[in-house]
Amino acid sequence: MITSHDFSSNYLVLVPQELSFYNLFKMLWSNEIDKMGFVHSQKDREDYLHNRLIVVFFSLLFQKILLLFSKTLAKFGSIVEFSLNLLSSNGGLFMLLKNFYQGKMEIPKPESEKFISFIGQIDKRVELERSIKPRDCTYFSALTVMASKLSYENHAFVKTIVQDHWKMELIGFYHFWNDFQEKHATKAFILQDKTPNPNIILVVFRGTEIFDANAWCTDIDLSWYEFPGMGKIHGGFIKSLGLQRKTGWPKHVKPDPDRPVAYYFIREKLRELLRLNRRAKFIITGHSLGGALAALFPAVLALHEETWLLNRLHGIYTYGQPRVGNDKFNKFMEIVLHKHGCKYFRFVYSNDIVTRLPTNAPNFMFKHFGTCLYFDSCYKGKEVEEEAVKNYFSFCGMIQHFFVALWELVRSFLIPYIGGPQYTETWLLKAIRVISVVFPFLFPGLAAHNMQDYVNLTRLGSQHLFINLQDNVILESYHSSDDEPCYDIAPEYEEIIF
């Protein structure tokens, strides 16, 4: 599909849909890569393509394979999820056979409040940690990681957990339009936590769905666009957030109720919610792809000079987040976060491969910004500039990955006795850990991306680190009377509020 890139004067877009395997391998010796139909580029193409040829080659190769088997992967995923729910809803294999014989077998419905995604089957915990209270230093971390895990579930499931179990208000569950893929590909939900004072509005982006080939292609895509004053940004992520195919990032777009766009819709919803509660702030969170969208959302707010909203942003919490931009973008974001006093917490667990994507090869443009909160396989955390083994695909890294995966397998049998029964791992996660040991090239990094370990690090992780983070400082800063404004009010909303 040919698309316009006129909104950016400097870009490079890889289009695996227009690529044949012959041309893919031809690019390894061709001197005219930028003239091939599967590369749309402007300005910096020569330096980017020729100096990173092998990395671009593998990015395109993996995308091509994923797209080739996308329908097969989706069907396989549906069968796997249905089978897992069939087993769990009937109490296991023995009870399933018994119920089938007695004619009482329960058939799971994919959109019901009982149907659990593959991610949810790996870690079935849905309750918030009861010992963590709103004024505890780990409260927001514990809430955002569970919300990020919950984002993989269907609407009915999310509504039941948020309202009946967490006793919070579900504002909405949304399927957003991707103008480049021409489908509703981005998902998110918004909840309001009235437990702390002031209230917190939580925006949760869904991460990479394991059987969605397009989502995985987005993660490993090396396309980028450059925006004035911001720098270069990962093309796949910015498209998922709401980049417009013809106009890029205009400050306003005409809303389409049938095709809501993530950034614009959420921005207006936040304005609506925050003008009704002048004391409230909001937090953005997500795991994997969801973490990338959470990190980019305030960047576009800054591009549009949405000062009022940025002043109401308490923090960004990401888990297993991939890299989203270049050095210039990172400096831009650090200035934005500092100016508005916004906290940014990027959690990384051990050998998580997604946090090392796109690759950090020498002189490569994609970098992380802010401080990394790195937790090893014993859940010991520390603040570092970059996670250990920045480039996953290295010889030294492969050896380390194997031994860590072996320890994680052993730990899966020990952790219930160390932390308690709530940390018991499912047979599915244990099976994944076995595969990681048997195939140590890629699987240890994928296994480390699971939500079980990210939830565990917020509960079992180093407490001194969370105390130093002071992510709950918002709770200590509100001692004004109810009649005293806590924030500057946007002029266009002043009459409505007062």
Side-chain angles (χ1 to χ4, degrees):
M1 178 181 62
I2 302 298
T3 59
S4 170
H5 306 290
D6 295 339
F7 54 82
S8 176
S9 61
N10 193 15
Y11 58 85
L12 186 140
V13 180
L14 305 178
V15 190
Q17 295 90 339
E18 301 175 11
L19 169 69
S20 68
F21 280 104
Y22 171 76
N23 283 333
L24 174 62
F25 286 93
K26 181 181 176 182
M27 69 178 285
L28 293 175
W29 65 82
S30 175
N31 293 321
E32 299 181 338
I33 302 173
D34 56 310
K35 295 182 180 179
M36 295 182 176
F38 56 86
V39 178
H40 301 171
S41 59
Q42 183 71 20
K43 285 188 178 181
D44 293 346
R45 57 183 177 265
E46 182 176 351
D47 174 67
Y48 189 87
L49 287 170
H50 292 283
N51 292 341
R52 303 167 179 87
L53 183 60
I54 295 300
V55 177
V56 172
F57 169 80
F58 279 107
S59 172
L60 283 167
L61 176 62
F62 290 144
Q63 289 185 71
K64 187 66 179 177
I65 293 173
L66 282 166
L67 292 174
L68 187 63
F69 294 100
S70 60
K71 293 183 179 179
T72 303
L73 182 63
K75 290 180 180 179
F76 175 73
S78 298
I79 294 172
V80 170
E81 289 191 337
F82 179 82
S83 301
L84 291 172
N85 279 274
L86 185 65
L87 284 171
S88 59
S89 61
N90 286 278
L93 181 60
F94 175 77
M95 288 301 299
L96 172 63
L97 296 174
K98 181 180 178 181
N99 291 343
F100 176 78
Y101 177 77
Q102 296 178 346
K104 300 178 180 179
M105 185 173 64
E106 184 176 344
I107 305 297
K109 298 179 180 179
E111 295 303 319
S112 74
E113 68 276 6
K114 295 181 180 180
F115 195 90
I116 306 174
S117 69
F118 185 84
I119 300 296
Q121 293 285 351
I122 293 175
D123 178 9
K124 294 188 177 182
R125 292 173 295 182
V126 295
E127 299 291 351
L128 299 175
E129 177 59 58
R130 294 182 180 180
S131 64
I132 301 177
K133 306 301 180 183
R135 288 188 176 272
D136 291 344
C137 61
T138 58
Y139 180 74
F140 288 141
S141 302
L143 173 60
T144 53
V145 74
M146 287 299 292
S148 296
K149 189 172 89 73
L150 187 62
S151 69
Y152 290 97
E153 308 304 331
N154 65 60
H155 183 190
F157 190 98
V158 171
K159 183 178 181 180
T160 298
I161 299 304
V162 170
Q163 297 185 171
D164 298 345
H165 292 255
W166 297 0
K167 306 302 179 184
M168 299 176 187
E169 181 181 355
L170 180 64
I171 303 299
F173 184 95
Y174 311 104
H175 296 252
F176 294 116
W177 181 256
N178 185 316
D179 205 24
F180 290 78
Q181 294 182 3
E182 296 187 339
K183 65 178 182 178
H184 294 83
T186 304
K187 299 178 183 178
F189 70 89
I190 302 176
L191 65 82
Q192 184 165 8
D193 180 9
K194 298 182 179 180
T195 306
N197 183 23
N199 295 172
I200 286 294
I201 296 166
L202 191 62
V203 178
V204 189
F205 288 102
R206 177 178 291 193
T208 306
E209 296 184 71
I210 194 168
F211 298 110
D212 185 345
N214 286 311
W216 281 108
C217 285
T218 296
D219 283 342
I220 63 176
D221 187 7
L222 300 182
S223 302
W224 50 262
Y225 293 95
E226 184 171 10
F227 297 92
M230 292 180 70
K232 298 173 182 176
I233 304 176
H234 189 287
F237 299 148
I238 208 73
K239 292 174 186 176
S240 296
L241 188 60
L243 184 71
Q244 299 297 286
R245 192 196 314 173
K246 296 181 179 179
T247 56
W249 279 122
K251 188 166 185 178
H252 302 286
V253 298
K254 184 178 180 181
D256 184 342
D258 296 323
R259 296 179 176 181
V261 180
Y263 166 76
Y264 296 99
F265 182 93
I266 293 173
R267 185 185 66 180
E268 298 309 310
K269 179 60 69 173
L270 285 172
R271 284 176 175 172
E272 175 187 331
L273 294 169
L274 292 170
R275 74 177 182 231
L276 296 175
N277 188 340
R278 61 185 181 179
R279 295 175 61 86
K281 279 201 169 188
F282 70 99
I283 289 174
I284 314 172
T285 190
H287 169 256
S288 189
L289 169 61
L293 301 183
L296 288 173
F297 185 83
V300 187
L301 287 179
L303 177 68
H304 293 157
E305 300 180 338
E306 296 284 353
T307 303
W308 184 76
L309 277 175
L310 286 169
N311 286 338
R312 306 290 291 270
L313 173 60
H314 168 63
I316 308 161
Y317 290 72
T318 70
Y319 302 90
Q321 173 205 320
R323 300 179 175 106
V324 297
N326 68 345
D327 284 330
K328 185 176 180 180
F329 173 76
N330 296 345
K331 292 175 182 177
F332 170 82
M333 281 304 300
E334 288 174 356
I335 292 172
V336 170
L337 297 176
H338 177 74
K339 179 181 179 181
H340 299 281
C342 174
K343 299 176 184 293
Y344 171 57
F345 304 112
R346 182 171 65 84
F347 291 86
V348 174
Y349 169 73
S350 189
N351 293 328
D352 186 345
I353 188 176
V354 175
T355 64
R356 279 89 173 175
L357 295 176
T359 181
N360 194 52
N363 300 319
F364 208 72
M365 61 166 284
F366 291 103
K367 310 290 182 183
H368 279 303
F369 66 91
T371 301
C372 168
L373 306 177
Y374 178 77
F375 291 78
D376 63 20
S377 57
C378 294
Y379 303 122
K380 292 182 179 179
K382 58 182 178 180
E383 291 186 60
V384 295
E385 290 186 3
E386 189 85 26
E387 52 267 53
V389 191
K390 292 187 292 184
N391 185 8
Y392 184 89
F393 300 101
S394 65
F395 179 73
C396 293
M398 306 300 276
I399 297 175
Q400 176 186 326
H401 301 333
F402 169 77
F403 285 105
V404 172
L406 183 61
W407 155 243
E408 288 172 336
L409 176 60
V410 174
R411 188 195 62 193
S412 66
F413 294 94
L414 300 177
I415 196 168
Y417 304 99
I418 299 172
Q422 68 269 34
Y423 296 100
T424 301
E425 295 189 0
T426 62
W427 65 265
L428 181 59
L429 180 53
K430 289 177 180 177
I432 292 173
R433 297 204 188 281
V434 170
I435 295 173
S436 299
V437 174
V438 177
F439 302 100
F441 174 70
L442 182 63
F443 286 95
L446 294 174
H449 192 56
N450 78 85
M451 289 302 305
Q452 173 99 14
D453 287 315
Y454 277 102
V455 172
N456 287 355
L457 67 83
T458 65
R459 300 181 181 187
L460 300 175
S462 308
Q463 289 299 301
H464 70 274
L465 176 60
F466 287 98
I467 293 172
N468 292 338
L469 294 177
Q470 293 185 325
D471 71 334
N472 66 331
V473 71
I474 183 176
L475 304 179
E476 305 299 330
S477 62
Y478 287 79
H479 298 295
S480 57
S481 66
D482 291 340
D483 297 328
E484 193 176 34
C486 297
Y487 298 103
D488 292 331
I489 305 301
E492 61 267 33
Y493 299 136
E494 190 170 3
E495 181 178 350
I496 300 175
I497 297 174
F498 294 103

